[in-house]
Amino acid sequence: MHVASTRRLLLLALAVTANGQVDYSPYVSPLIGAEGPLPGLAFGGGDIFIGGAVPFGVVKLGIDTFEANRSLATTNGGYTPQGNVTGISMMHESGTGGCPKYGVISQMPLTTVQSPVNLLDNSTYWQKRIGNDTAKAGYFKTELTNGVTVELSGARHAGILEYSFPSEEKHVLVDVSHYLPDENGGDCTQYYVDGKIDISDDNKSYTGYGTYAGGWNLGAPYTVYFCADFDTAPTQALAFNGANASIPNLSGKSRKAADSNDRVGALFSWSNSNASSIRSRIGISFISVDKACMFKDSEVPSWQLNDTVAAAVKEWNKDVFSRIRVDTGEGANQTNLILLYSSLYFMHLMPSNRTGENPKWQSNEPSWDDFYTFWDTSRNTDSLYHLIQIEAYESQIRAIIDIWRHDGFLPDGRSGNYNGLTQGGSDADNVLADAYVKGLRGSVNWTDGYAAMVKDAEVQPSIPNKEGRGALNDWLQYEYVTVNRNERCLSRTVEYSLNDFALSQVARGESPADVSKYLNRSAGWQLTWDHDVKSVNTTPVFTGFLTPRLSNGQFNSSGYNPALCGGCEWSSITYEATPFEYSFVIPHDMQTLIQFMGGVAEFEARLDYIFLPNTSQQDLGANGAGINTIINIGNEPDFQTPYLYHYINKQWKSVNQSRALARQFFKNAPYGVPGNSDAGTLNSWLVWQMLGIYPVVTQPVYLIGSPWFSDINMTVNGNRTLRILASGLGEESYFVQGVKLNGVQWDKNWFEHKDIMVEGGRIEFVLGDKIVVWEKGDVPPSPGHVELGNGTMGK
Ligand SMILES: *[C@@H]1O[C@H](CO)[C@@H](O)[C@H](O)[C@H]1NC(C)=O
Ligand SMILES: *[C@@H]1O[C@H](CO)[C@@H](O)[C@H](O)[C@H]1NC(C)=O
Ligand SMILES: *[C@@H]1O[C@H](CO)[C@@H](O)[C@H](O)[C@H]1NC(C)=O
Ligand SMILES: *[C@@H]1O[C@H](CO)[C@@H](O)[C@H](O)[C@H]1NC(C)=O
Ligand SMILES: *[C@@H]1O[C@H](CO)[C@@H](O)[C@H](O)[C@H]1NC(C)=O
Ligand SMILES: *[C@@H]1O[C@H](CO)[C@@H](O)[C@H](O)[C@H]1NC(C)=O
Ligand SMILES: *[C@@H]1O[C@H](CO)[C@@H](O)[C@H](O)[C@H]1NC(C)=O
Ligand SMILES: *[C@@H]1O[C@H](CO)[C@@H](O)[C@H](O)[C@H]1NC(C)=O
Ligand SMILES: *[C@@H]1O[C@H](CO)[C@@H](O)[C@H](O)[C@H]1NC(C)=O
Ligand SMILES: *[C@@H]1O[C@H](CO)[C@@H](O)[C@H](O)[C@H]1NC(C)=O
Ligand SMILES: *[C@@H]1O[C@H](CO)[C@@H](O)[C@H](O)[C@H]1NC(C)=O
Ligand SMILES: *[C@@H]1O[C@H](CO)[C@@H](O)[C@H](O)[C@H]1NC(C)=O
C-alpha cells in the first residue's frame, strides 16, 4: 500500500505560530478519500486531489497517474495510490465523478531519454512510486522508481517543484499535450486541441499555451497560458512535436501545433550541473503569458520550496481553519481534530477563484469556476460558506449571476469556463434562495439574481443536461416530469419542486406577484405521488411513494418497486438514489409529506426502516460504497434525511442516526469517505454533523443536532463569533438533555439564521447518555405547504 499512514503521531499537536495563532495544519490529512474499498485503488473512493493548493486556488499542483486496471481506473483527482506517474500538472478537480477534467500544464522528471523512451508515449517513461507519499496542507512528496524525489507546493496561480535526481543524468519533460485521459475512453474524455511552446535563449525558462476540451462537463475548448523557469540553466533545451507515439521531431526552441494531432512539448536536460536538485516555478493564466509570468514571480518569489509551503499553510490557517476553533490541547481527541480540519480543507479546494482571469467577457464582477456541482454543494456546502466564508460566498454568487448575464444560464456545474452538467434540478436556484432568505445582500444584484432564477424556471435549455432544467417542457405542461418523455422523471420532479420553492422565496422580496405561482408549482411532486403504491419485499409494508407517471396522467405502477431505480443513472427514473430515498426529499413541505406517508407513526416507522441493515435492494456498484441500508449517506439526496426525525419532535433519533452514519463511514483513513467527495460535499456534511447543527437549505432554518466538541468558536458573518458549548459530552454521552440559545432555554429543535448567525452568540448544550425528548415547541416549519388534494391532475 502506497498511501502513507494517516494515523501517524502528531508531533505538532500544540503547534502555535509566532504570532500566537494556532497552527491547525498538522490535523489535515490530505489522503482521506484517496482509496476506495479495494486497498491500493482509488476506485469507489473520494476521487480527491492530493498536492499543493491554497483555499479556492486556481492551481492544484499534483501528480497525474495511470492505473493498470482500466476498468477500475479512477484518476479524476490525478492522484491514485498505486498508479504510474505520467506527469505532474498544475490544474485538478477534487472529488469529481464522471470523466476526469484538467491534469494540464505538466512536467515529468526523467533520468534517461534513451530508447525505449519516447517523449510522445508516456507508457515508455511512466514511473511507479517507491515507499509512501507524504501529503500535508500545501506540500506533497513522492519518490519515483527512477530514483527522482519530487517535492512540490502550490500558490494561487503558480506552483513550485523540486526534483532531487539520483545521478548525473537529469531531464525534465514538458508535454503541452498532456491531460488526464478517461482510461475507459468514455464519451466525455478530454482531448487536446492546440499547443505552443517557446524556450528562452538562455534555456532557463519557457512559455506558451495549451488548449483542451471535454471532460466531465463536456466542456468547450479552453486555453491555459504558462510561464515557467528553472533555478539552474539547462545545458540543452529543445522543443518537439509529433503525432501520438510517433518519433518526435526534437529541435529548435519553438513549436506551435499544426493541428490537434500535433502534440508539442520540450525537453530540458542538465549534464554539467553538480547540483542534484533542480527546481522549477510555473505560473498559469487564462489571459496571457505575461500574466502567467507575473503570477509566477509574485506568488512564488523564492526558490526555497518551504517558503511557498509556509505561505500556503498560513493562508489555510488564516482563511479556513481558524474560522472554526476547537481545543487542540492535550486532552483533545486527535481523530476528531483530524476529521474536522481535513474536512474543512477538502471543502475549500473548489470552486476556483478566477477573478481577473475570465477570458470570455469583461466585467467588474468577480469570476469563479469549477463548480462541481450545485446539485452537490447546494445541499450544505454553500450554506457553510455563508457562515464562515461570507466574502467568498458573496463573490461566488455575484460570479454565477454574471455567468447568467453573459452565458445565458446560471451554472449547475461549470469548469473550464463552460456550463455543464445538470443532473437534477437547476440547483443554483437553491443556493441563491438560501443566501437571500438569510439576508445576504452586499453587492449582489438581486434583481438580476431573481431574473436568472426565472430563466431556469421558464426557459427550456437547448442542450438538456448542460444547464437550466432539461425537462422543463414536462414541468410547464404537467407540473411533474413524465416517465415517457424524460429521463430521471422522479428525481427531477422532486428537485424542480424545491427549485420553484426557492423562486417563491426570492420572489417575496424581488417580485411579490410571482410568489403564489412558484409556491403552487413547488407542490408538483404531489402529482407524481401514488397514494396506493406499496413497498415490495419490506416488513412492514409502506404505502404511498413517488411513482413514475405518464403524460396521459396514468401512474406506471405495474411491477413497480420503489426500492429499485434501474441503476440510478442518467437514464434511470431517479438519479443517485432510489425512489424510496427521494420520497423523503421534500424539505419545503414536510407537513404534506408526513401526511402522505400516513401520519407521524407511519412516517417514523418508514424512516426507522431505511436505517436497518440489509434493506437496500438496489445494487449501486462503486457508488454504493458497500452500503447495505436504503439510506446512503455517500450520495447527496440523502444528506438531510437522517435529520428528519426533527419534524416529529424526536430530535434524539436524528442525533443517533446521523452520528452513527458519521462514525461508520467517515474515518481518518485512506478509505475515509463513502464514495466521491464531490468537491468536498461529503466533508461539509461531516463538519455540520460535528458542529451539532444542520441547515435546511432555501429556508433560514437550522436543525439542532449534537456537537462533537465541548467548546467551538466559529467566526460567522465575517467578524462575529458563534460559540457552541457542550457540557457532559462523552463517547456515549451525546443525547441532548437541553439547549440554551443566547442564555434562553430553547424548547424547539430548530432556530433561525437571525437568531444567532448574524450577530453571533452562544449555543449551550447539555448532553448525556439518556434519551430525552426535550423539545416541546413547534416542529421545524413547512413554508412550502400546499394542499393540492388527491386526484388533482396536472394542467
Ligand atoms: C507505508 O505505510 C504503510 C501503512 O501505514 C506501512 O505499513 C508501511 O510500513 C509504510 N512503508 C514505508 C516504506 O514507510
Ligand atoms: C508502471 O511503470 C513501471 C515502470 O516504472 C512498469 O514496469 C509497469 O509495467 C508500469 N505499470 C503499468 C500498469 O503499466
Ligand atoms: C480489473 O478488475 C476487474 C474487476 O475487479 C477484474 O475482473 C479484472 O480481472 C481486472 N483486470 C486486470 C487486468 O487485472
Ligand atoms: C499515457 O499513455 C496511455 C497508454 O498509452 C494513454 O492511454 C494515456 O492517454 C496517456 N496519457 C496519460 C496522461 O495518461
Ligand atoms: C541551450 O540549449 C541549446 C540546445 O540544446 C544548446 O545548444 C545551448 O548550448 C544551450 N545554451 C546554454 C546557455 O546552455
Ligand atoms: C526554508 O529553509 C531554509 C533553508 O533550510 C531556511 O533558511 C528558511 O528559514 C526556511 N524557511 C521557512 C519559511 O521555514
Ligand atoms: C472560545 O472563545 C472564548 C472567549 O474568547 C475563550 O475563552 C475560549 O477559550 C475559546 N475556546 C476555544 C476552544 O477556542
Ligand atoms: C475519539 O473519538 C472517536 C469518535 O469520533 C472515538 O471513536 C475514539 O475512541 C475517540 N478517541 C479517544 C482517544 O477518545
Ligand atoms: C479572489 O481573487 C481575487 C484576485 O486574486 C482577490 O482579489 C480576491 O480577494 C479573491 N476573493 C476571495 C474571496 O478570496
Ligand atoms: C442590476 O443589473 C442591471 C443590469 O444587469 C442594472 O440595470 C441594474 O441597475 C442593477 N441593479 C443594481 C441595484 O445595481
Ligand atoms: C464587523 O464588521 C462590520 C463591517 O465592517 C463592522 O461594522 C462591525 O463593527 C464589526 N464588528 C465587530 C464585532 O468587529
Ligand atoms: C389522500 O389519500 C390518502 C390515501 O388514499 C388519504 O389518507 C388522505 O386523507 C387523502 N388526502 C386528501 C387531502 O384528500
Side-chain angles (χ1 to χ4, degrees):
M1 192 171 86
H2 269 80
V3 173
S5 170
T6 48
R7 261 160 281 142
R8 69 192 186 280
L9 276 180
L10 288 160
L11 301 173
L12 296 171
L14 273 170
V16 173
T17 60
N19 59 0
Q21 298 293 307
V22 178
D23 178 11
Y24 298 98
S25 70
Y27 307 112
V28 174
S29 175
L31 292 163
I32 293 177
E35 270 183 20
L38 305 171
L41 292 181
F43 184 76
D47 289 13
I48 50 167
F49 159 76
I50 298 172
V54 295
F56 299 131
V58 174
V59 162
K60 288 174 250 299
L61 176 56
I63 58 172
D64 292 328
T65 57
F66 195 89
E67 289 200 308
N69 192 331
R70 287 182 183 236
S71 61
L72 297 179
T74 309
T75 60
N76 300 62
Y79 184 94
T80 54
Q82 294 182 356
N84 278 1
V85 177
T86 59
I88 308 155
S89 70
M90 297 292 282
M91 293 183 64
H92 291 93
E93 309 274 17
S94 189
T96 61
C99 288
K101 180 107 185 171
Y102 298 148
V104 298
I105 314 303
S106 70
Q107 291 189 352
M108 179 72 188
L110 303 176
T111 51
T112 175
V113 289
Q114 296 303 305
S115 177
V117 170
N118 178 347
L119 303 180
L120 288 168
D121 179 356
N122 76 67
S123 69
T124 65
Y125 60 74
W126 59 25
Q127 296 289 316
K128 275 174 87 76
R129 281 165 282 160
I130 301 171
N132 291 330
D133 299 327
T134 306
K136 301 177 186 175
Y139 176 80
F140 178 79
K141 179 181 176 186
T142 191
E143 186 180 351
L144 309 179
T145 36
N146 64 12
V148 179
T149 297
V150 180
E151 290 175 272
L152 60 84
S153 184
R156 192 149 289 280
H157 311 85
I160 180 165
L161 290 147
E162 180 163 344
Y163 305 112
S164 303
F165 285 90
S167 60
E168 271 295 287
E169 198 170 345
K170 309 178 191 66
H171 310 273
V172 169
L173 165 66
V174 173
D175 179 1
V176 179
S177 55
H178 171 99
Y179 60 86
L180 276 169
D182 185 67
E183 289 191 24
N184 294 308
D187 289 349
C188 54
T189 190
Q190 297 190 88
Y191 53 98
Y192 158 78
V193 176
D194 189 14
K196 183 173 189 289
I197 192 162
D198 296 299
I199 302 167
S200 65
D201 288 340
D202 64 0
N203 296 343
K204 244 186 139 172
S205 55
Y206 63 91
T207 56
Y209 67 81
T211 304
Y212 319 89
W216 62 264
N217 73 328
L218 308 176
Y222 65 94
T223 295
V224 183
Y225 298 89
F226 52 83
C227 174
D229 56 8
F230 297 100
D231 66 334
T232 308
T235 42
Q236 279 212 354
L238 296 169
F240 68 83
N241 73 312
N244 190 32
S246 71
I247 296 174
N249 167 16
L250 186 67
S251 66
K253 296 273 191 184
S254 293
R255 213 55 113 246
K256 156 95 179 75
D259 56 47
S260 60
N261 291 319
D262 196 23
R263 298 176 53 182
V264 304
L267 183 69
F268 298 88
S269 308
W270 292 260
S271 57
N272 64 350
S273 160
N274 293 325
S276 65
S277 89
I278 301 289
R279 294 169 225 187
S280 181
R281 304 180 301 167
I282 310 172
I284 58 169
S285 166
F286 283 76
I287 304 296
S288 69
V289 159
D290 285 351
K291 277 196 84 181
C293 295
M294 187 270 287
F295 287 138
K296 166 180 70 69
D297 293 335
S298 62
E299 295 179 6
V300 187
S302 152
W303 284 110
Q304 299 290 329
L305 184 92
N306 61 354
D307 287 337
T308 302
V309 174
V313 166
K314 189 174 169 197
E315 201 167 329
W316 279 106
N317 275 319
K318 177 173 158 292
D319 290 346
V320 176
F321 306 142
S322 66
R323 304 280 164 98
I324 300 183
R325 303 174 295 282
V326 299
D327 184 9
T328 55
E330 259 173 66
N333 181 318
Q334 300 291 304
T335 305
N336 290 348
L337 289 175
I338 293 170
L339 289 176
L340 175 64
Y341 291 106
S342 302
S343 300
L344 282 169
Y345 171 83
F346 283 115
M347 64 171 278
H348 287 83
L349 289 171
M350 286 170 61
S352 309
N353 179 358
R354 296 260 192 80
T355 301
E357 282 284 294
N358 181 357
K360 292 182 79 176
W361 60 84
Q362 296 283 325
S363 169
N364 292 326
E365 291 299 277
S367 178
W368 289 71
D369 200 3
D370 301 324
F371 294 101
Y372 183 93
T373 58
F374 287 120
W375 187 84
D376 304 272
T377 63
S378 64
R379 318 269 167 171
N380 65 47
T381 315
D382 297 294
S383 306
L384 195 50
Y385 292 155
H386 195 152
L387 297 189
I388 63 173
Q389 298 292 354
I390 186 101
E391 199 188 324
Y393 184 57
E394 183 187 326
S395 180
Q396 289 163 16
I397 285 174
R398 289 169 61 189
I400 62 173
I401 294 171
D402 211 38
I403 289 168
W404 160 82
R405 257 181 222 118
H406 295 273
D407 274 359
F409 275 99
L410 294 166
D412 201 71
R414 186 176 177 92
S415 213
N417 309 315
Y418 193 81
N419 279 358
L421 297 176
T422 304
Q423 296 154 98
S426 47
D427 292 343
D429 299 344
N430 303 353
V431 176
L432 292 185
D434 200 54
Y436 192 84
V437 298
K438 289 171 181 169
L440 186 106
R441 296 296 181 269
S443 305
V444 177
N445 183 328
W446 279 108
T447 311
D448 280 6
Y450 182 66
M453 295 170 77
V454 169
K455 177 87 179 269
D456 282 339
E458 303 296 343
V459 181
Q460 173 87 18
S462 53
I463 308 173
N465 295 335
K466 182 177 186 295
E467 53 204 355
R469 303 188 201 168
L472 196 69
N473 55 349
D474 274 357
W475 188 245
L476 293 181
Q477 190 173 350
Y478 304 103
E479 294 185 7
Y480 60 92
V481 177
T482 71
V483 65
N484 52 313
R485 307 203 324 168
N486 274 296
E487 299 177 333
R488 288 162 278 139
C489 56
L490 297 182
S491 47
R492 278 159 139 185
T493 295
V494 163
E495 297 213 356
Y496 293 3
S497 298
L498 183 60
N499 296 154
D500 277 344
F501 173 73
L503 267 101
S504 75
Q505 297 308 287
V506 178
R508 284 185 196 287
E510 299 301 322
S511 186
D514 293 353
V515 173
S516 61
K517 169 184 174 183
Y518 289 118
L519 210 48
N520 284 334
R521 277 172 51 167
S522 81
W525 66 276
Q526 297 184 27
L527 298 177
T528 197
W529 187 278
D530 187 333
H531 292 274
D532 299 323
V533 158
K534 294 187 185 318
S535 61
V536 180
N537 300 326
T538 71
T539 313
V541 171
F542 303 102
T543 306
F545 284 92
L546 294 170
T547 302
R549 197 173 183 186
L550 299 154
S551 51
N552 67 10
Q554 297 298 308
F555 282 107
N556 201 11
S557 56
S558 134
Y560 176 55
N561 178 351
L564 300 176
C565 58
C568 298
E569 298 286 351
W570 291 87
S571 58
S572 307
I573 52 173
T574 48
Y575 185 79
E576 280 197 18
T578 60
F580 213 113
E581 294 160 87
Y582 271 105
S583 291
F584 281 105
V585 188
I586 313 294
H588 56 294
D589 191 4
M590 289 302 298
Q591 185 184 336
T592 300
L593 182 68
I594 290 168
Q595 185 198 327
F596 275 18
M597 286 193 178
V600 167
E602 281 290 313
F603 173 77
E604 182 177 1
R606 192 189 290 203
L607 204 43
D608 286 346
Y609 179 79
I610 66 172
F611 292 90
L612 296 178
N614 304 314
T615 49
S616 171
Q617 299 182 43
Q618 177 67 50
D619 180 6
L620 293 176
N623 232 346
I627 292 171
N628 64 19
T629 52
I630 287 179
I631 189 148
N632 179 346
I633 207 62
N635 283 333
E636 283 70 13
D638 290 354
F639 274 4
Q640 199 187 337
T641 304
Y643 293 96
L644 294 184
Y645 293 99
H646 276 70
Y647 289 85
I648 55 171
N649 270 354
K650 287 203 174 165
Q651 189 261 4
W652 70 269
K653 277 199 174 182
S654 296
V655 166
N656 211 32
Q657 302 284 30
S658 62
R659 207 174 190 96
L661 292 173
R663 285 183 174 179
Q664 186 179 353
F665 294 110
F666 294 80
K667 301 195 179 92
N668 173 26
Y671 185 30
V673 285
N676 298 353
S677 77
D678 295 327
T681 303
L682 261 57
N683 310 93
S684 62
W685 185 88
L686 185 67
V687 175
W688 284 109
Q689 162 66 207
M690 297 182 106
L691 294 174
I693 37 182
Y694 196 82
V696 183
V697 171
T698 69
Q699 299 173 41
V701 168
Y702 301 85
L703 306 178
I704 295 172
S706 167
W708 291 33
F709 301 93
S710 52
D711 189 1
I712 304 170
N713 283 315
M714 268 174 88
T715 300
V716 298
N717 201 15
N719 58 4
R720 310 303 207 278
T721 302
L722 169 65
R723 190 165 185 196
I724 301 173
L725 290 157
S727 64
L729 171 63
E731 187 63 14
E732 301 306 324
S733 173
Y734 54 78
F735 291 109
V736 176
Q737 315 290 299
V739 184
K740 280 184 188 165
L741 244 77
N742 284 334
V744 177
Q745 198 69 39
W746 206 253
D747 68 353
K748 295 179 301 190
N749 58 31
W750 57 281
F751 59 84
E752 290 193 52
H753 189 76
K754 64 176 162 47
D755 291 330
I756 205 147
M757 296 305 188
V758 176
E759 292 300 329
R762 186 185 274 245
I763 311 178
E764 289 162 274
F765 287 87
V766 176
L767 305 179
D769 56 8
K770 299 250 175 338
I771 291 165
V772 175
V773 177
W774 57 274
E775 71 268 51
K776 296 175 184 61
D778 293 340
V779 297
S782 287
H785 183 62
V786 172
E787 284 182 32
L788 289 184
N790 290 346
T792 308
M793 294 288 293
K795 290 193 289 263

